[in-house]
Amino acid sequence: MSKVTVMDHPLIQHKIGIMRRVETGSKDFRTLVSEVAMLECYEATRDLELQDVEIETPICKTTVKELKGKKLAVVPILRAGLGMVDGMLEMIPAAKVGHIGLYRDPETAEPVEYYCKLPADCAKREVFVVDPMLATGGSAVDAIRMIKEKGVTHIHFMCIIAAPEGVKRLQEAHPDVDIIVGALDEHLNEHKYIVPGLGDAGDRIFGTK
Ligand code: PRP
Ligand code: URA
């Protein structure tokens, strides 16, 4: 079964608290999504491999650690996942970026696919799928299936708020994918929105409602 990490860092909890407030406007919301993504990236990249390198400081020769250089990619699920890309790239600037377009059918809450463009060499890359919300889990499960169909074998999923229902569905569908969660909420409501949640993440990032 995949590992689920719920971030307990005070900075993340504080920022998510501001995001949840109904009065937080799009400009601040966007900034916070990006900042939380950057902080979560720190945890998501914990297991990246290092190698020893000989260097010279102003004082003497020594051995330091540097990233072994495995190629990385960030794949946001459109639209709301776009808000997490800049924060990720602040930490891993050499990563390539792919895009997966999915929206939830308003009647069924099931994902509908409309776009998929991944880096040509994505099968060789370690992929970080980002989306602020993991509700029923349908979008994340489908996005990861689409990425696996392109030959990718090493995938992490990162979100800001998750419902227990979504975590369970994602773990069952993709037990090999680690999940990094900013906050684990209580449940889904009758419209499949996360409670207490923060509303519609895409609308809040882009100011579309
Ligand atoms: C939201 C969110 C996720 C999805 C989560 O996107 O960004 O992609 O819902 O719900 P699920 O876990 O039940 O699939 P939405 O479909 O509202 O599209 P948008 O980002 O374009 O607004
Ligand atoms: N998508 C969102 O943006 N918010 C939710 O609570 C559920 C799905």
Side-chain angles (χ1 to χ4, degrees), residues 46-209:
R46 176 177 287 285
D47 294 330
L48 289 184
E49 276 188 84
L50 294 169
Q51 62 189 9
D52 288 340
V53 184
E54 298 277 321
I55 60 125
E56 207 170 328
T57 74
I59 308 299
C60 66
K61 289 194 171 158
T62 189
T63 305
V64 295
K65 303 277 181 198
E66 70 174 29
L67 287 170
K68 214 164 179 180
K70 180 150 180 21
K71 292 179 171 180
L72 308 177
V74 179
V75 177
I77 303 177
L78 308 180
R79 291 174 301 167
L82 286 174
M84 296 176 72
V85 173
D86 284 352
M88 293 291 292
L89 293 179
E90 288 279 334
M91 292 291 107
I92 46 172
K96 293 268 168 66
V97 181
H99 295 87
I100 289 189
L102 292 172
Y103 70 87
R104 290 205 317 178
D105 180 299
E107 299 298 320
T108 64
E110 284 302 314
V112 180
E113 180 183 329
Y114 62 89
Y115 192 72
C116 179
K117 181 85 180 169
L118 301 179
D121 61 352
C122 66
K124 290 194 210 127
R125 290 179 181 267
E126 184 164 338
V127 170
F128 297 83
V129 181
V130 296
D131 189 328
M133 309 304 278
L134 179 65
T136 66
S139 303
V141 167
D142 273 16
I144 292 167
R145 174 188 49 76
M146 291 159 72
I147 292 167
K148 285 183 173 175
E149 282 169 4
K150 304 276 184 189
V152 180
T153 54
H154 200 164
I155 304 173
H156 310 260
F157 179 80
M158 299 170 57
C159 65
I160 295 181
I161 302 215
E165 296 90 330
V167 172
K168 182 167 182 286
R169 184 165 166 185
L170 181 51
Q171 280 190 302
E172 284 170 0
H174 298 294
D176 53 322
V177 172
D178 287 347
I179 307 172
I180 293 102
V181 176
L184 185 59
D185 275 13
E186 290 164 19
H187 58 92
L188 297 174
N189 69 13
E190 65 276 24
H191 304 294
K192 309 286 187 202
Y193 272 79
I194 300 175
V195 180
L198 47 71
D200 187 305
D203 283 340
R204 295 199 65 184
I205 290 170
F206 296 109
T208 38
K209 216 170 238 171

